[in-house]
Each structure stands twice: as structure tokens, then as C-alpha cells.
Amino acid sequence: RFEAGSSLVFAMLFEGEDDLFEEKKGPLVFQESKDIDEVPYLLNVHDDQMHERLRFEAYSLESSDTHFLWVSYPEFDRFFRFNAELMNPNYRAGRFRWVLQRLELMTDGKGGRRLQISASPTAHPPQTQGTSEFKIPIGRMNYKERQALRDDMERLDNSRETKIAAKRKVAHERFLADFEEKKREYQEKVAQRDRRIEEERKVRLVEILEKRQVERNSKLKIQQVFDQRACKIEEKIQKREEQWDDGVKEVLAKAKRDKDDSEAAVAEIMQKAREREAAAKKVGR
């Protein structure tokens, strides 16, 4: 007998969500509902007599996800070999309820979830659909039983559709809210980007104007240096020309003075010569 709180978990065969066996899962023989991880689930049991196995399903009334697992007849009987109350295979309702009480969803290590049977009942016991005591159809059903079954199925379908519609409405409203929030964030990012671009443009414009002013001032300084140098050169040239003119004039004046001195000396010599010649003439007479 399995003790409460035991960590033992039964490994199930054929666990998954593939639709390959949908047509071979057999008729519905038992149905209850319970919350798994605070989410309402519809629990179904199908009897696949052809392959001698049972299919346990957990259908989410919020997301419409279906998790299931297959259990062979021998494996199912081994669950109750030490249970005196459920050892009798004719007590199928109690056996099914015992399994459904222990159904839970666990992570499969691949980002999904898988259905499994734990050793002890879960926190939320299953609830029978429709009446307090669910009767499994055995043999042929009369009109009232068939009508009650149809009413239960129709009620479950309507309840499921209502919950799905409410879930979709909430999801749609959440989507719209998220969309508006993302839209607002995007618009804010665009506005911030535009402001940043405008600020960068202004800064760049100021930098360009300052650079142009520096270049203009540099050109003015260079032009001033050139102008000052040209003025100095012009002054030097003019001064040299003036010095040259003064030198030439001095040379010409000196040459003139030398010429005048030479002419005066020659005139004086000639005068003295004439005087001697005259004196000689006088002496000869």
C-alpha cells in the first residue's frame, strides 16, 4: 500500500499530446473535474478495449490544452493489488476516481508539461460532473439516461465555450493593453530619438560654426602676417633704393668735386706756366 506523502511516481506509457490515437482512444466511460495548479480541468477516462488500455485525459477549460496518458490493463490492475477495497475489478468507478485524484502535471524537461499519476491525492480532489454520484453507463441506456448524458455533455460544452470566450476576451483585452503600452513606449522612444537627433544637430551646427570661425580667424592672422611682411619688405626696398640714390648722388657729387678740383689744379698749373713763360719772355728781352 502506498503511503500519503510518498515521492513515488508511476511511470506511464504512451504519454503525450499526439493526435495519432484520437480515433482509437475508445468510448468515454468516466468523467470528473478538478483544479490542477489553480486551473480548472475536465478529466476524462476512455476505454480502448481493442488495445486493452485506458486513456486518462486532462482538458484545460482555460487554454483548451489537452494532456493525456495511456495505461495498459495490467498496469492499471497493479495499482490496486494491495488495496482491499479497490482490488475488485468490477468497482471501476472507484478505481477511476482513485487515479483521477492523483493526476498532476509535471514539467517534461523540454519546456512542456506531461500528465502523470502520483502516489498520493493532489490538493484539489475531483468533482463529479452533473450529480453527486456519477454512474457509468453499463449496457444499453434508456431514453432518460441518454438524455441526461446529452444534457451533461451539452452543459459541459457550453461551460467550456463560455470559459474559453471569457479567456479569449481577457487575452484580447490584455493584448490590446500590451499593444497600447508598446505603442506608447515606441512613440516615446521615437520622440526621445528625435530630441536627441535635434540636440546633436544643434551641437554639430555650433561646432561647425566655431570651426569655420577658427579657420576664418586663422586666415585673417595669416593674411595679417603676409601684409606685415610685405610692408616690411616694401619699406626695406624703398630704404635700399633711397640709400642707393644717396650713394649715387654722393658718388656723383664727389666725382664732380674731384673734377672741379682737377680742373682748378690744371687751370692753376696752366696759369703758373703762362706766368713763367711770360717771365721768361721778359728776361729774354
Side-chain angles (χ1 to χ4, degrees), residues 25-85:
K25 62 184 180 181
L28 177 69
V29 295
F30 195 78
Q31 187 177 68
E32 287 185 340
S33 64
K34 76 171 183 177
D35 292 345
I36 302 178
D37 296 337
E38 306 300 332
V39 177
Y41 277 84
L42 182 65
L43 305 179
N44 300 322
V45 182
H46 294 267
D47 187 5
D48 183 9
Q49 298 180 0
M50 181 180 297
H51 298 89
E52 296 184 350
R53 59 185 180 178
L54 297 169
R55 174 184 168 111
F56 294 90
E57 290 182 347
Y59 176 82
S60 173
L61 296 177
E62 288 189 358
S63 63
S64 299
D65 293 336
T66 301
H67 303 269
F68 66 86
L69 58 84
W70 292 99
V71 181
S72 64
Y73 285 173
E75 183 72 18
F76 184 68
D77 290 337
R78 281 197 293 271
F79 292 159
F80 314 105
R81 59 182 176 177
F82 299 114
N83 191 322
E85 182 181 358

Side-chain angles (χ1 to χ4, degrees), residues 99 136 143 285:
V99 173
I136 304 174
Y143 175 77
R285 286 180 185 176

Side-chain angles (χ1 to χ4, degrees), residues 79-215:
F79 292 159
F80 314 105
R81 59 182 176 177
F82 299 114
N83 191 322
E85 182 181 358
L86 300 178
M87 188 179 296
N88 186 356
N90 293 325
Y91 190 25
R92 304 187 70 190
R95 285 185 163 197
F96 293 148
R97 184 172 292 110
W98 185 93
V99 173
L100 298 183
Q101 287 175 350
R102 290 159 175 78
L103 285 181
E104 62 180 357
L105 290 173
M106 302 295 292
T107 58
D108 57 3
K110 302 178 182 179
R113 308 185 73 187
R114 61 185 177 87
L115 191 65
Q116 69 178 23
I117 302 175
S118 66
S120 58
T122 59
H124 299 281
Q127 298 177 358
T128 303
Q129 298 295 324
T131 62
S132 59
E133 183 65 26
F134 184 84
K135 295 183 180 180
I136 304 174
I138 300 175
R140 300 186 61 180
M141 295 183 295
N142 56 32
Y143 175 77
K144 290 183 178 180
E145 291 175 338
R146 291 196 302 271
Q147 184 63 34
L149 181 60
R150 282 195 296 268
D151 292 343
D152 288 340
M153 296 302 296
E154 183 177 356
R155 180 183 58 80
L156 290 175
D157 290 340
N158 293 335
S159 176
R160 182 187 63 182
E161 292 177 357
T162 301
K163 291 183 177 181
I164 291 175
K167 184 73 174 180
R168 289 177 177 173
K169 182 180 179 181
V170 172
H172 182 66
E173 293 176 352
R174 187 183 299 113
F175 169 77
L176 292 178
D178 293 342
F179 176 78
E180 291 296 331
E181 179 65 19
K182 293 184 181 298
K183 181 179 178 181
R184 186 189 63 79
E185 292 178 355
Y186 174 76
Q187 292 176 347
E188 180 64 23
K189 288 181 179 179
V190 171
Q192 292 179 356
R193 184 189 62 185
D194 293 340
R195 289 194 296 269
R196 186 171 61 254
I197 291 174
E198 182 65 20
E199 292 175 356
E200 292 177 354
R201 189 186 68 82
K202 292 180 179 179
V203 171
R204 182 61 177 168
L205 181 60
V206 171
E207 291 178 352
I208 292 175
L209 294 177
E210 291 178 351
K211 183 178 180 180
R212 290 180 179 178
Q213 185 64 33
V214 170
E215 292 177 352

